[in-house]
Amino acid sequence: MKVIFLGVGEACDESYPNTSVWLQTRTESVRRSLLLDCGFTVPPQYWRQTPDPEDLDALWISHFHGDHFFGIPALLVRFWEMKRQKPLTILGQSGVEDRVKDAMELAYPNFLQKLQFPLEFIAAEPEREVLAVGLKWRFAENSHGQRDLAVRVEDDSCSVFYSGDGAPTPETFQLAQGCHLVIHEAFRMEGTTPGHGTVRDCLQFALQAHAATLALVHLQRDERSTRYDAIQELLNGTGGIHGLLPEPGDALEL
Ligand SMILES: [Zn+2]
Ligand SMILES: [Zn+2]
């Protein structure tokens, strides 16, 4: 599985695009392409990676804050412009279909019915395991200002956990067990920010979940600039796990 960090920023960062991760894999001899979250600054990052309108199979939306799903209208309108034909699967917690359609209607009225390709919505909930686009998906609720679901996606050999926004919970800890890669939101290095993770807590989370690699994203913009070296030192100095603070465009092969 290939993992490309399109963006690693929070909502208001002037330098770092919103957190979004593009996964590419292959199951049943078919290539699979999926995007985890699509905030308002993500579509340009995606188009820079691939101008192919047929590439994307599925989109996961962790929650309905703008930096995680307001990029959908721009994504869909360019698919329409480029005459995409392939269905697009959109997964998210209950209500995802209405939220996406409302966002589309607000941004580009009457465009939904013009799309030449079907949107196939799948409502995700923690008790429900989903098989979609040849992959296994499971979910757990974490602790954020708005309800957010963490997701675990698995192909035949790899598993990736992505928190969306929010501090770990016992449920997300269960979900992350033994994952090859944990991608976790960490807003601050340490301390308590209600509804958000920290670098220290996420390190312990991933270590205790026996993850091989931890990538921290969505770091608060001032924290990134003022504590960058200390965070890197903490990640490098922690044994038992490969800790990363990825930059936009960075890629990992699992
Ligand atoms: Zn966010
Ligand atoms: Zn949020």
Side-chain angles (χ1 to χ4, degrees), residues 10-11 63 65 67-68 144 165 218:
E10 34 99 334
H63 66 303
H65 280 154
D67 57 315
H68 295 263
H144 189 48
D165 281 358
H218 207 280

Side-chain angles (χ1 to χ4, degrees), residues 194-214:
H196 287 284
T198 67
V199 174
R200 278 193 196 282
D201 289 351
C202 292
L203 255 176
Q204 287 312 308
F205 173 90
L207 267 170
Q208 287 167 15
H210 306 289
T213 302
L214 167 68

